[in-house]
Amino acid sequence: MSVTTTTGYVEDVSPGTGALPPRAWYASSDAPSLSLNGTWRFRLSDTADAEDDSFAARGYDAGGWAEVSVPGHWVLQGHGSPAYTNHLYPFPVDPPRVPTENPTGDHLRVFDLPADWPADGGAVLRFDGVESCARVWLNGTELGEFKGSRLPHEFAVGQLLKPAGNVLAVRVHQWSAGSYLEDQDQWWLPGIFRDVTLVHRPAGCVADFFVHASYDHTTGTGTLRVDSDVAGRVTVPELGIDVATGEPVTVPVEPWSAETPRRYEGVLATEGERVPLRVGFRTVELSDSLIKVNGRAVLFKGVNRHEWHPERGRALDLATMREDVLLMKRHNINAVRTSHYPPHPAFLDLCDEFGLWVIDECDLETHGFTEQGWRDNPVDDDRWTPALLDRAARMVERDKNHPSVVMWSLGNEAGTGRGLTAMARWIRDRDPSRLLHYEGDATCRDTDVYSRMYASHAEVERIGRGLDGGPRRRRELPLVLCEYAHAMGNGPGGLADYQRLFRTYDRLQGGFVWEWIDHGIAHPALGYAYGGDFGEELHDGNFVCDGLLFPDRRPSPGLIEYKKVIEPVALTGDGTAGTVRVTNGYDFADLSALVFSWSYEVEGEPVAEGTLAVPALAPGESAEVKLPAVPAGAPSGEALWTVRARLASGTAWAPAGHVVAWGQVPVTERRVPSVAASARPVPGDGVTVLGPATFDARTGALRTIGGVPVTELRLDVWRATTDNDDGAAWQGDLRYGLLWRELGLHRMRHRLDAVEAGEDALTVRTRVAPAARETGLATVYRWTSDGDRLRLTVSTVPEGDWTVPLPRLGIRFGLRAADRVRWYGGGPGEAYPDTRAAALTGRWEAAVDDLQTPYVRPQENGARIDVRWAELGGLRIEGDPVFGLTARRWTTEQLDAAAHRTDLVPGDTVWVNLDHGQHGIGSQSCGPAPLPRYHLRAEPAEFSFVFSAIDSVSSTTL
């Protein structure tokens, strides 16, 4: 009996032993394979050397062991707990040493070969992903061990297989030397989390092959050459191709792009195997200091995608991967950065099929070494270079035949050093047909693009104008924001402002929003758990929930906003001229796949609809298109045209009629509500009556409107701070949530100065201010009425030295029995000053509960913008000017105190905010704060609301 100790392979900086050289991945061939996914026996030990390896032998009795699913993570199946850190290593930094407390999972699977499994030839055992270090035995024979969690490893096993009773044993260690290379802002989740497959290797089978399929945009021809380690023939019937491997052939083709993902079916046939090919012809180059594909500069409208499922972690099935790709395509996303590791290889097949540009990123990040000034960083230590080269090779060789992959990325946040340079040199030698990306090297020595994270709008514009300075090589490269617009909680703000810069300056070739999905873990008591919810010693809280999708893959308002901001057709117009300007923003496709429609709307109601004839504009072209005449007999009121571009026919990713883009063209302005101040305040028994309303005679507090009880109406300046308000700790003291709390805006006091009943108005004078501060807001409420309707005019004047903007400015009050809301204004979803592009002006209706946005960590949410009027709880409210509307069954203070949605318990009051303004959102949870134009400055303001009672039944039911 031998005993495993942590002083051996676990802490060895080498990539491992026994694995075969990496090769191209393909989903299927005519050689049989056997999936070993399913239920495995499992035993967890506290340390790497706590158990012997006798379990690997045939005949071992594991009947008393637990069971786990493979693919899977044992910490999500009841064995231990997950842990989240952004960049801190959750163990002492002493490379390559790891803790003695090293959770180790022994996995055991007994399997029989199928009856028709060929008796001749060999076989390989393939692991597509194991975190973080694995040692493997088959039928008692040790095959080897490996590191590189998100990378494939194969072992030759043909001579060891038996017809029945094969015993596959895998020992997986949570921590290893490889963990130092995998510090990637995600949950630490050990286990066999990708597929395990046995693949037959007949004599003369395909070993490795490389599909070279370039496109010449000047001649319209493609050149195909398939290099193969084993000689064979390549056939592509549609193109009439039948050539030997290694032999180039040039034919007319339709090129592959993310917009038109044309592929040709072919076959690579050797003596022993036939492998299906799906060939996409395209050429990637750096030309004229721009990233060009097929001769055209491209604009990346991308996202960063971690692999995630709220129950299964990074163990994704094909259906989930497909859902991700379909959601991206339906929301106008055209690019993915596989942060921060190569994805499951089937995901790249889907990107090829549906059309997405891919930056394929190596399984490398050493971010935690920033805590010691990058001292001992593995990427600048020659001992680690073989491991780095192994990771680069396993990525490139696995994924080299995907047309969707247009750039290789060396990794993420790993500093700089000789190891990265060696990786870049190796990749360039192996595959000069793609560009190289890496963000962390400010000199761009090893890259073909200038990549940045979270640069401010001002800095991005300087770069676009060529005023950024820096090394000459960098100045000659295009800029890609590999991460920007941090989508944590409510946000990101400022997307439209970034996109305007991308469209203005050629050097700016787009970016990748951070990130695709919240990494919340389904939890029976918390809804979704985040960092710290499992008792971690170190954690980074809900920083792991920073996606455009909620954990259950429902689109967030941020994704709806992004879809609108990056839509590939711009629709703008002049309502008085009766025209709409249509601009094709695609890089390759014309508009022939789209149909256009118009709707003429008055006061948010469609009056007439029809189709609009739009020419099939080429990329970059624009046309002025005449709108029809205003429909005869259309009612008076605020009018506008809504123009939509839809898919004319169903595609692989969306049905016919799917809306790709839309625009609204105003025709007439809105009508401002007016109330003649004809009623006078009338004193009563402890109350003052003014038109339909009653007030407390002593305090001037509103009690009812038309019999509808109204409670605690007062000025409100506070919002439950968003993740972006609170900012990131490393951003210093200029974080608005912190500044607001220091000033005391979350605990404002309301002092009553005077109640004045005049001839035609009831005036209440107050001062609203926080304890311990001299700053405040002198606030006057002036109530007037025409007998049926009630008008409130609020005037505020800042007092003292206001050095920060306000979170919000408006009024708040409580209503009972307000179950549904109808409104005319922006919708259907939430919007804020710098997240308003997707707000479509119209009439909307929703339940109060459906107005809430389910951010994993509760925060300000649910505001509807540019509201002209709203109806809820028996009241109709009109604004002068337009206002923001929020309604919820808990107070802002309760929302602010909640850590999870399960902390929010609905009360018997609906709290309504009518906002004159709110501060912008920004993305300061990791990126920049809101632009100054979106700051809600503390300055004199005046705004009005008109209230009237309505039939409460019609206001609370459909």
Side-chain angles (χ1 to χ4, degrees), residues 675-684 687-697 700-707 755-764 781-793 945 947-948:
V675 174
S678 56
R680 61 181 301 172
V682 178
V687 298
T688 299
V689 178
L690 178 61
T694 61
F695 299 82
D696 184 286
L702 178 67
R703 293 290 181 249
T704 65
I705 301 175
V755 179
E756 303 166 356
E759 284 295 316
D760 61 356
L762 177 67
T763 302
V764 181
Y781 307 91
R782 187 173 189 272
W783 300 93
T784 58
S785 175
D786 61 4
D788 295 318
R789 296 183 298 164
L790 181 71
R791 185 183 188 99
L792 166 64
T793 299
F945 303 102
F947 299 87
S948 54

Side-chain angles (χ1 to χ4, degrees), residues 427-448:
I427 293 174
R428 282 200 172 99
D429 287 345
R430 178 60 173 147
D431 180 26
S433 70
R434 291 178 173 93
L435 304 182
L436 268 184
H437 168 272
Y438 180 68
E439 179 271 339
D441 180 8
T443 68
C444 296
R445 176 184 60 183
D446 298 322
T447 70
D448 298 310

